[in-house]
Amino acid sequence: MGMNLAERILARSAGRDQVAAGEFVMAEIDLALLHDIFAAQVFNLLRDTGLDQVFDPDRIVVVIDHLVPAPSEAAAAIHQSIREHISRLGITAFYDAGRGICHQLLPEHGHIRPGDLVVGTDSHTTTYGALGAGGTGIGTSDMVYALATGQLWFRVPETIRFEMTGDLMAGVSWKDVILHLAGRFGADGAQYRAIEFAGPAVAGADMSSRLTVCNMALEMGAKFGLFAADGVTDTYLRSHGGAGTEPFEPDADATYEAVHEIALSNLEPQVALPHEVDQVSPVTEVEGISLNQAFIGSCTNGRIEDLRAAAEVLAGHHIAPGMRLLVAPASRAVLGEALETGVAATLVEAGASILAPGCGPCFGGHGGLLAPGERCIGTHNRNFIGRMGSSEAEIFLASPATVAASALAGHIADPRKLGASDG
Amino acid sequence: MADDILRGRAWRLDHDISTDVLSPGAYAVDPVEVRKLHVLESVIPEFANEVVAGDIIVAGRNFGCGSSRETAAENLKALGVACVVTESLSRLFMRNAIAVGLPALICTGIHAAFADGDDIQVDLVTGVVTNVASLVELRADPLPEEMRRILASGGILALLKGRSVA
Ligand code: SF4
């Protein structure tokens, strides 16, 4: 019987010829990711078990990205403790504060290969499905178990397949596609399931777009969000420090819980409204809602392609009076490219503040929080109540082009009316 | 686990209770004694003060959606919550609840069958959930054996310690 991508990944990891949805397997982990919110705690717990060693120091990546630069003495102390732990445990793949966000750095530095099983102490570990890898989030206790043993239990998920056809309109991006899917199928539309993003339209999605889509697959409850590995994957891997790849695809006779046809050609720019990612409207229905802050960044949309899309909208204009525009590049490499290509200058001239590469205000830890009654539109992935400061603030989510157009207008605005071309 | 039959007061919560609500980001790196005081404060400000050991959470769809933060489950356990019964719950919350030794069940119809403060009984072995006053009985999905084994050890770390001793 044929296997879909999730089944192929878990069968290989469990050393089995065949697995099917619903089975429990003990799987070998290819890569484990920890970031600064949880790493020190995990390493302390590991020490407390008495097994103070890791299954393979070369298959663990640690990133300091959330509290960057350290906004408090407590955060600085946590960073210090992480540095001590990793040198004691012999972990060499370590990205210190300022290098960027974990989900940007792992693909960017060639840590992710198609077919890998990757666990991270971060829900958006699903991002790596863009490269055909089974990435999924786990908690701290599960991570301690995974680090100690190199294994973890998994339930083989059912898979939903989206067959996507048609070309996106100018001014519409794959962020709009995933917001639309979240709105249509709901925040629990893929609960416990894997999603395969497929169909003729995906050939036109570059790696940056695929990373955006798989990042937000989690916001539909997905365990994995997966693209097959194809020519786009091969090119990306070769240009990011690794060997190329053979195609990694589902079997032709693979089975799915559901297959949905999604036509993209009439899709408008989308906006998620407070306080749920699945409260989604076309931008034309929410234009004019006034704003205080705009944010471009995060592991969802902080790549050079995203900064460039925003810069195209902002070039030669200035953000509206009373607006604040924050830009947090997803990595130092992204910031470097933005500087080299003039994108950074365009953003700053338009009134943007550039933050250190990292998570920035995305999760409300520091740097760009909201007061009661304020509204922010951002390119990130969550608009939950209290996510960016006050629980009386409101967060809207949209594409980089829509966020940039809204920053100029001072209210939610349609990027197509400004002649953006973020296809 | 010592007690397979749990009985307590139900706290009825809405749909889509996220990890940001269960464990607000501003206290992400604080110790559990601090974190637990902020559980649900944006939706039920009095929750942390009034919840007592043995209380049971009854929630709507997509409980625990959001981040991987295990503190969402750990905070509830630290406050003495005995069990979480929901219409549906996020995969990460489920994983983390099992990992910290907090039973979490999916039970269709639970949200309509209970009012806030109702007396609820949950049988972890059979999955039978009873509203003690109305005698309405529902059946939750039973937990797979792998999960029950971890719960019985008191969580996955206890399981790991057992393994390192053995
Ligand atoms: S950018 Fe936001 S969503 Fe991404 S890892 Fe950082 S805090 Fe999480």
Side-chain angles (χ1 to χ4, degrees):
Chain A
M1 203 176 82
M3 291 188 287
N4 57 43
L5 286 175
E7 290 164 346
R8 283 195 63 182
I9 291 165
L10 287 171
R12 189 193 61 84
S13 305
R16 301 256 302 269
D17 291 335
Q18 178 92 44
V19 297
E23 274 186 77
F24 279 78
V25 296
M26 204 36 134
E28 303 280 335
I29 306 300
D30 292 296
L31 196 74
L33 159 73
L34 296 98
H35 61 53
D36 54 339
I37 299 294
F38 299 118
Q41 188 191 346
V42 167
F43 292 135
N44 285 332
L45 286 168
L46 180 67
R47 190 165 53 194
D48 294 348
T49 63
L51 288 163
D52 194 21
Q53 58 185 29
V54 293
F55 76 106
D56 182 350
D58 297 329
R59 287 199 273 158
I60 297 163
V61 184
V62 180
V63 182
I64 293 184
D65 56 358
H66 277 61
L67 298 164
V68 169
S72 65
E73 194 179 329
I78 284 171
H79 294 171
Q80 185 178 48
S81 149
I82 293 170
R83 293 183 193 108
E84 288 164 9
H85 281 295
I86 61 139
S87 73
R88 183 172 50 84
L89 293 165
I91 295 166
T92 53
F94 172 55
Y95 298 88
D96 210 329
R99 294 295 301 276
I101 308 169
C102 54
H103 303 312
Q104 176 66 14
L105 292 169
L106 268 59
E108 196 177 89
H109 292 265
H111 292 288
I112 307 294
R113 303 287 307 170
D116 280 359
L117 178 63
V118 184
V119 294
T121 48
D122 189 275
S123 56
H124 295 104
T125 306
T126 55
T127 308
Y128 311 129
L131 292 126
T136 198
I138 60 173
T140 43
S141 296
D142 275 339
M143 181 57 88
V144 173
Y145 192 91
L147 290 186
T149 65
Q151 297 180 329
L152 209 55
W153 65 269
F154 286 93
R155 179 181 175 279
V156 182
E158 283 78 22
T159 295
I160 301 173
R161 185 171 160 101
F162 291 122
E163 282 279 347
M164 297 185 283
T165 56
D167 296 324
L168 296 174
M169 278 190 262
V172 180
S173 73
W174 282 83
K175 176 62 167 284
D176 299 301
V177 175
I178 189 68
L179 286 173
H180 167 72
L181 292 174
R184 185 154 148 197
F185 294 91
D188 56 355
Q191 194 61 266
Y192 292 108
R193 293 167 176 80
I195 303 176
E196 270 182 28
F197 297 98
V202 303
D206 63 5
M207 188 51 69
S208 179
S209 301
R210 295 179 185 190
L211 290 161
T212 300
V213 167
C214 292
N215 179 274
M216 285 200 70
L218 183 271
E219 306 306 331
M220 299 172 70
K223 173 177 199 151
F224 300 134
L226 296 160
F227 282 78
D230 61 6
V232 171
T233 324
D234 181 62
T235 307
Y236 182 89
L237 287 170
R238 286 172 196 275
S239 59
H240 291 84
T245 181
E246 295 294 306
F248 176 68
E249 294 167 336
D251 293 328
D253 56 344
T255 51
Y256 296 93
E257 185 185 70
V259 179
H260 301 284
E261 307 259 334
I262 310 288
L264 302 183
S265 41
N266 291 324
L267 188 72
E268 290 189 58
Q270 306 283 308
V271 180
L273 313 179
H275 298 282
E276 308 299 338
V277 180
D278 58 0
Q279 295 299 109
V280 176
S281 284
V283 68
T284 45
E285 288 175 19
V286 291
E287 275 176 294
I289 295 177
S290 67
L291 298 164
N292 307 91
Q293 180 169 301
F295 169 54
I296 295 167
S298 85
C299 54
T300 319
N301 283 109
R303 281 173 284 281
I304 188 64
E305 291 83 354
D306 303 310
L307 272 49
R308 196 181 295 130
E312 279 172 20
V313 173
L314 294 166
H317 303 286
H318 201 277
I319 60 172
M323 274 298 285
R324 311 180 292 266
L325 173 59
L326 304 174
V327 178
S331 70
R332 189 184 291 164
V334 170
L335 175 58
E337 203 173 339
L339 287 167
E340 265 168 41
T341 55
V343 163
T346 303
L347 297 173
V348 171
E349 280 157 20
S353 300
I354 308 243
L355 308 179
C359 297
C362 172
F363 74 113
H366 62 99
L369 303 195
L370 302 171
E374 286 197 316
R375 293 201 192 100
C376 175
I377 190 165
T379 63
H380 49 313
N381 46 33
R382 292 212 171 120
N383 57 350
F384 300 151
I385 194 162
R387 174 85 175 165
M388 295 178 84
S390 171
S391 54
E392 289 159 49
E394 294 187 320
I395 306 167
F396 298 79
L397 306 175
S399 73
T402 302
V403 170
S406 304
L408 290 181
H411 54 74
I412 296 179
D414 187 339
R416 294 171 300 174
K417 297 186 181 160
L418 292 157
S421 61
D422 177 32
Chain B
M1 190 147 351
D3 294 322
D4 286 328
I5 297 188
L6 307 171
R7 183 166 167 191
R9 178 178 58 153
W11 286 86
R12 185 174 181 273
L13 304 178
D14 234 325
H15 304 299
D16 299 307
I17 296 293
S18 75
T19 52
D20 281 310
V21 171
L22 294 167
S23 182
Y27 311 99
V29 297
D30 288 324
V32 66
E33 295 75 36
V34 175
R35 273 189 271 115
K36 71 179 187 185
L37 303 177
H38 301 280
V39 173
L40 290 164
E41 69 182 359
S42 60
V43 293
I44 311 177
E46 68 278 14
F47 181 80
N49 277 330
E50 294 187 2
V51 68
V52 300
D55 283 1
I56 290 173
I57 291 202
V58 165
R61 292 184 302 274
N62 205 23
F63 184 79
C65 58
S67 83
S68 68
R69 64 188 76 156
E70 187 173 298
T71 51
E74 192 195 353
N75 292 349
L76 290 174
K77 194 170 157 83
L79 286 170
V81 170
C83 179
V84 173
V85 192
T86 67
E87 292 285 338
S88 73
L89 85 166
S90 98
R91 156 190 171 263
L92 270 165
F93 185 87
M94 169 67 113
R95 257 210 103 95
N96 287 333
I98 301 303
V100 303
L102 172 69
L105 300 175
I106 295 170
C107 182
T108 306
I110 189 82
H111 201 235
F114 283 86
D116 201 42
D118 279 358
D119 192 354
I120 176 173
Q121 180 170 301
V122 180
D123 185 327
L124 294 176
V125 174
T126 60
V128 172
V129 178
T130 314
N131 185 324
V132 179
S134 69
L135 292 177
V136 169
E137 240 184 48
L138 301 167
R139 194 167 282 271
D141 297 345
L143 292 177
E145 201 190 316
E146 288 82 352
M147 290 187 187
R148 288 206 309 272
R149 196 165 56 92
I150 297 168
L151 285 173
S153 310
I156 200 162
L157 287 180
L159 189 72
L160 184 65
K161 283 179 197 161
R163 185 176 145 146
S164 69
V165 170

